[in-house]
Amino acid sequence: MPNANANDDGVPRLALPNGTEVPRLGQGTWYMGEERSRRDEELRALRTGLDLGLTLVDTAEMYGDGRSEELVAEAIAGRRDEVFLVSKVLPWNATRRGTRAALEASLRRLETDYLDLYLYHWRGSVPLEESIEALIGLEEAGLIRGWGVSNLDPADLAELDSMTGASGPHGLQTDQVLYNLTRRGIELDLVPQLNSAGVPVMAYSPIEQGRVLGHPALGEIARRHEASDAQVALAWVLRNEGVIAIPKSSTPEHTAQNRQALDLRLTSQDLAALEAAFPRPSSPVPLEML
């Protein structure tokens, strides 16, 4: 399991396989940057997160056809050195040449000359080995400081592990997957596989895009802790020190509430109640995606 500690801002961090320490709570940007009327508030939300130590910012060329990356560029202007910046390449772009072209387009939109982490977004028709070789080449060229994958299942990771250069300090840094109280299948196979390799899980949609909220079990625990349902659900995802969570927030207030989830300590009673309300599958299930 990756080593975890805390920074001066109180945000716990963990070390990626390449040694880089990143916040365990970051900021997602799916569906952000798509509506001009919401732009100012979304910018404030992202900047509030940076102020609170949530300096891992995740985006993708897919999000709003690049508009999310443009929003992120504006939010981090003058603060690039503070930010651990993550973006993703679409599977149909992930050829040897296409991956570099996609990255260069993302860099232009993000107004930076490198990414801290570049992820293969999900598996498509391009051979996996070709896509991974392209990512490795981008790291060797200094355009990215690390690479990872998203939405790859245990069989995909086993295939990846057999490739030269796909493991070790310059190899796989994370698998970004759907994980929350209602999507626990990865606990049976993917999480142990990644833990044994010292590779963290990056959890997207950690509160199931809000659909998990309002459940009686969450409400009862939230009342005991004077917290919100979302904070309880987020604290549950973060209970595992090998997990990074990247919830999206479109308002400064919501961002601040996400940060407060780091201070919520769920008791054994709380965890037992959540286990009863949201039991994990009894046998492996196909990797879920949104």
Side-chain angles (χ1 to χ4, degrees):
M1 181 180 297
N3 294 325
N5 54 47
N7 206 20
D8 292 342
D9 52 28
V11 176
R13 306 172 80 83
L14 60 73
L16 300 179
N18 65 12
T20 304
E21 292 192 349
V22 300
R24 291 193 53 230
L25 180 61
Q27 302 186 79
T29 60
W30 196 6
Y31 296 117
M32 293 178 69
E34 298 184 10
E35 296 182 27
R36 174 60 60 176
S37 62
R38 301 178 60 182
R39 190 176 189 84
D40 288 345
E41 190 165 45
E42 289 176 340
L43 287 170
R44 288 196 298 272
L46 288 169
R47 290 167 179 159
T48 295
L50 299 185
D51 293 341
L52 294 172
L54 310 184
T55 53
L56 187 157
V57 179
D58 176 86
T59 185
E61 64 171 339
M62 183 190 81
Y63 300 167
D65 292 327
R67 292 191 296 277
S68 170
E69 291 179 323
E70 293 169 350
L71 177 78
V72 169
E74 188 173 350
I76 69 174
R79 306 181 67 170
R80 175 66 182 94
D81 290 347
E82 300 175 38
V83 177
F84 186 89
L85 189 55
V86 184
S87 193
K88 310 179 195 72
V89 58
L90 285 162
W92 48 85
N93 289 337
T95 61
R96 286 185 179 85
R97 291 186 177 181
T99 302
R100 179 157 186 154
L103 172 64
E104 290 173 345
S106 287
L107 293 177
R108 287 194 295 271
R109 288 188 291 267
L110 289 162
E111 300 179 19
T112 185
D113 56 4
Y114 72 96
L115 287 181
D116 296 284
L117 191 63
Y118 198 34
L119 307 182
Y120 174 53
H121 207 154
W122 69 87
R123 190 160 187 178
S125 60
V126 177
L128 182 61
E129 186 168 12
E130 179 176 350
S131 300
I132 299 307
E133 287 177 353
L135 292 172
I136 292 171
L138 293 174
E139 182 177 3
E140 291 172 345
L143 295 173
I144 63 175
R145 295 185 173 177
W147 61 270
V149 297
S150 181
N151 299 303
L152 263 62
D153 66 18
D156 296 325
L157 294 183
E159 181 180 344
L160 189 155
D161 191 52
S162 68
M163 300 175 192
T164 302
S167 59
H170 296 288
L172 179 69
Q173 301 300 309
T174 192
D175 189 0
Q176 184 181 121
V177 293
L178 177 62
Y179 182 50
N180 57 56
L181 279 163
T182 66
R183 312 277 193 162
R184 299 185 59 184
I186 67 169
E187 294 177 8
L188 297 176
D189 45 21
L190 186 65
V191 171
Q193 185 175 357
L194 291 170
N195 281 347
S196 66
V199 175
V201 173
M202 189 176 292
Y204 73 83
S205 297
I207 59 171
E208 186 66 10
Q209 299 180 339
R211 289 183 290 271
V212 71
L213 307 182
H215 191 283
L218 280 177
E220 182 178 348
I221 295 168
R223 285 190 293 274
R224 284 203 295 266
H225 290 276
E226 298 183 344
S228 68
D229 288 11
Q231 287 170 332
V232 173
L234 191 51
W236 180 88
V237 169
L238 291 165
R239 78 201 188 285
N240 182 331
E241 292 185 353
V243 173
I244 301 163
I246 49 168
K248 185 200 80 170
S249 167
S250 298
T251 69
E253 295 77 16
H254 187 190
T255 302
Q257 291 169 7
N258 286 344
R259 166 61 184 85
Q260 291 165 3
L262 290 170
D263 302 321
L264 177 57
R265 298 291 178 264
L266 298 176
T267 66
S268 57
Q269 177 188 359
D270 298 332
L271 294 173
L274 292 171
E275 183 69 32
F278 303 96
R280 72 179 184 180
S282 58
S283 59
V285 297
L287 184 67
E288 297 177 288
M289 295 174 56
L290 286 179

